[in-house]
Amino acid sequence: FALEAGTPPEIERVELSSEELARAMSPGHRLAGTGPVALEELRDESLIAFGRGASTRRRVDDALAEAGVKPRIALEANDLALVRSLVARGLGLAILPRSFLERPGEPISHSLLTPPLHLAVVLWWQRGRRLAPAARAFVDFALASRPPR
């Protein structure tokens, strides 16, 4: 399973759903509790970002560039729980999957972005690879279980 900003050529895929990204900050941050925020408003904020090459990082970097914002990356980490913990401690803002921010954990504040940012949630496997019967059954199950569009 992956959050996808682009499909590598060697990968076959099934799109399962879409994940909205949201801004996360410590409860004491000056922007905590405010409504949706435009990406331009993140111009002077320290960001905690995923490492270069991660789908979420690519999507956020592209959106910030489109908004004319050069991000100020304070820290990089690829573990969602670590990023959330750093945000909760006030070390910077992050843009993370909304569903992850709504889970129980250290107290954080979050809000949506405007315009909204989304990543596809996909099931990946190597192109041209013959899938074992159980794997093929799982792919078929995932296809049949997708929510209607």
Side-chain angles (χ1 to χ4, degrees):
F1 292 95
L3 290 174
E4 180 185 77
T7 307
E10 68 277 7
I11 296 297
E12 290 188 57
R13 68 191 282 284
V14 171
E15 186 170 335
L16 302 174
S17 65
S18 178
E19 177 72 45
E20 186 168 17
L21 300 178
R23 172 188 61 152
M25 71 227 77
S26 69
H29 192 278
R30 67 180 178 79
L31 295 174
T34 61
V37 65
L39 290 171
E40 293 84 1
E41 294 180 53
L42 301 179
R43 179 168 279 113
D44 297 322
E45 298 294 333
S46 295
L47 297 177
I48 301 169
F50 290 99
R52 293 188 188 279
S55 292
T56 304
R57 173 70 180 266
R58 285 197 313 264
R59 180 68 181 106
V60 169
D61 283 353
D62 290 348
L64 290 171
E66 287 174 26
V69 176
K70 182 174 173 32
R72 291 182 35 206
I73 306 300
L75 298 164
E76 291 181 343
N78 286 330
D79 180 89
L80 283 167
L82 175 59
V83 172
R84 181 185 176 125
S85 180
L86 295 169
V87 165
R89 287 173 174 71
L91 297 175
L93 303 181
I95 299 175
L96 297 170
R98 179 179 172 184
S99 64
F100 183 76
L101 297 172
E102 293 172 345
R103 292 182 185 166
E106 293 185 73
I108 58 167
S109 179
H110 68 277
S111 63
L112 300 180
L113 298 166
T114 182
L117 294 181
H118 292 88
L119 286 171
V121 178
V122 296
L123 177 60
W124 277 355
W125 65 94
Q126 188 173 353
R127 182 175 300 285
R129 180 177 179 190
R130 184 184 166 280
L131 297 177
R136 181 78 253 164
F138 184 75
V139 169
D140 292 343
F141 171 77
L143 282 166
S145 301
R146 290 188 297 186
R149 295 188 182 234

